[in-house]
């Protein structure tokens, strides 16, 4: 998605990638690293970062059949509420927001995976989030096979889709990132976790050097070096 970026004082980082890419692990690494340096950090995920989002998550991932267009609208509703009530206020307070999935997930899963139309889902998502884009999106690139192996036995509605669906999703994440390399970091999810952690830190450290998100003085914690 490309759009004029609304001004805010914080830093907005999103993690994207196929199911089983290891996003939550990297989100937790980044949260701990930022917190140790004294930054005010909000970690959240989509769908599900708010109470309404948790209800939408149940309906769309663990409920009965949902028609593809209804699915796209439910994911968009989650984003709209999440951005209005949680993400934008935190950015306006100058915090670092780290989200596990954002608008690109819908463009890849509903637009490309469900074949609902990338252009339509892009504009739906853009409208839902009021044009708010991450400063950096980390794409953890995972093959459908590796993702399936890592997911194990528990499968939600989206995870149960065929490899061909996940291959379309994967390709679309790569296409989105290739169109705007300055705002994306693509990493091979098959790499060791510590290698990925270092690559994410390096890129985020460069962004932090350019701006001044809120640092909360926490005397009990010594700042750590990037
Ligand atoms: P995720 O929270 O990463 O799954 P889990 O916690 O089970 O590892 O994502 C939930 C699923 O929702 C995932 O398959 C991707 C899908 N999804 C969409 O299809 N569209 C969206 O807009 C979002 C945010 C997620």
């Amino acid at each position: 998605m490309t759009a004029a970026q609304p001004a805010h004082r914080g830093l907005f980082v999103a993690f994207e990638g196929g199911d089983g890419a290891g996003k939550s692990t990297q989100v937790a690494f980044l949260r701990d690293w930022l917190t140790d340096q004294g930054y005010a950090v909000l970690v959240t995920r989509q769908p599900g970062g708010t109470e309404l989002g948790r209800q939408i998550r149940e309906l769309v991932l663990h409920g009965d059949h949902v028609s593809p267009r209804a699915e796209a609208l439910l994911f968009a509703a989650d984003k709209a509420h999440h951005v209005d009530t949680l993400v934008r206020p935190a950015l306006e307070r100058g915090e670092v927001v780290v989200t596990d999935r954002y608008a690109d997930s819908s463009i890849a899963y509903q637009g490309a995976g469900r074949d609902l139309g990338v252009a339509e889902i892009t504009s739906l998502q853009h409208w839902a989030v009021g044009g708010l884009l991450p400063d950096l999106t980390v794409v953890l690139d995972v093959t459908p096979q590796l993702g399936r192996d890592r997911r194990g036995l528990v499968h939600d509605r989206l995870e149960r889709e065929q490899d061909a669906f996940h291959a379309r999703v994967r390709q679309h994440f790569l296409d989105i990132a290739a169109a705007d390399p300055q705002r994306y970091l693509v990493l091979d999810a098959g790499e060791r976790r510590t290698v990925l952690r270092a690559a994410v830190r390096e890129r985020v450290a460069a962004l932090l050097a350019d701006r001044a998100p809120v640092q909360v003085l926490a005397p009990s914690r010594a700042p750590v070096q990037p």
Side-chain angles (χ1 to χ4, degrees):
M1 252 189 348
T2 54
Q5 183 69 5
H8 58 73
R9 296 188 301 130
L11 184 73
F12 187 18
V13 181
F15 283 79
E16 297 279 16
D19 293 285
K23 291 181 284 55
S24 354
T25 304
Q26 293 303 324
V27 166
F29 280 150
L30 182 59
R31 177 202 57 210
D32 292 348
W33 181 68
L34 290 165
T35 307
D36 282 345
Q37 292 173 86
Y39 288 106
V41 184
L42 171 74
V43 171
T44 187
R45 69 168 179 175
Q46 299 191 339
T50 62
E51 185 45 43
L52 177 65
R54 278 184 278 283
Q55 294 182 34
I56 292 176
R57 185 180 178 91
E58 273 310 300
L59 290 172
V60 82
L61 294 182
H62 303 294
D64 294 337
H65 173 71
V66 180
S67 84
R69 282 167 192 267
E71 178 183 289
L73 291 166
L74 285 167
F75 279 118
D78 167 65
K79 301 256 182 4
H81 185 69
H82 188 240
V83 164
D84 281 348
T85 62
L86 215 60
V87 175
R88 203 185 292 275
L91 291 172
E92 284 168 0
R93 289 194 301 269
E95 297 178 11
V96 182
V97 176
V98 181
T99 184
D100 188 335
R101 297 195 181 281
Y102 193 59
D104 289 345
S105 272
S106 200
I107 300 168
Y109 279 81
Q110 280 67 56
R114 291 275 187 244
D115 212 5
L116 288 173
V118 164
E120 285 84 351
I121 300 297
T122 301
S123 75
L124 174 67
Q125 285 290 317
H126 187 259
W127 182 80
V129 301
L132 179 71
L133 298 186
D135 299 292
L136 173 68
T137 298
V138 179
V139 175
L140 294 178
D141 178 39
V142 67
T143 61
Q145 293 79 355
L146 179 60
R148 189 165 10 86
D149 291 349
R150 282 187 178 170
R151 288 197 298 274
L153 292 176
V154 182
H155 297 303
D156 64 37
R157 281 184 55 250
L158 277 298
E159 290 171 345
R160 281 197 297 270
E161 288 294 332
Q162 304 295 312
D163 279 3
F165 174 94
H166 290 286
R168 286 199 297 282
V169 169
R170 177 193 184 198
Q171 187 55 51
H172 206 73
F173 278 129
L174 295 176
D175 291 347
I176 297 173
D180 199 355
Q182 284 209 316
R183 302 163 68 94
Y184 285 81
L185 171 65
V186 179
L187 299 172
D188 176 354
E191 283 279 6
R192 278 182 297 131
R193 301 188 315 174
T194 48
V195 172
L196 298 171
R197 181 179 67 182
V200 171
R201 282 183 188 180
E202 187 184 348
R203 191 69 178 263
V204 173
L207 286 169
L208 290 169
D210 269 0
R211 57 180 74 202
V214 168
Q215 274 191 290
V216 180
L217 291 176
S220 56
R221 289 179 179 216
V224 295
Q225 295 304 312

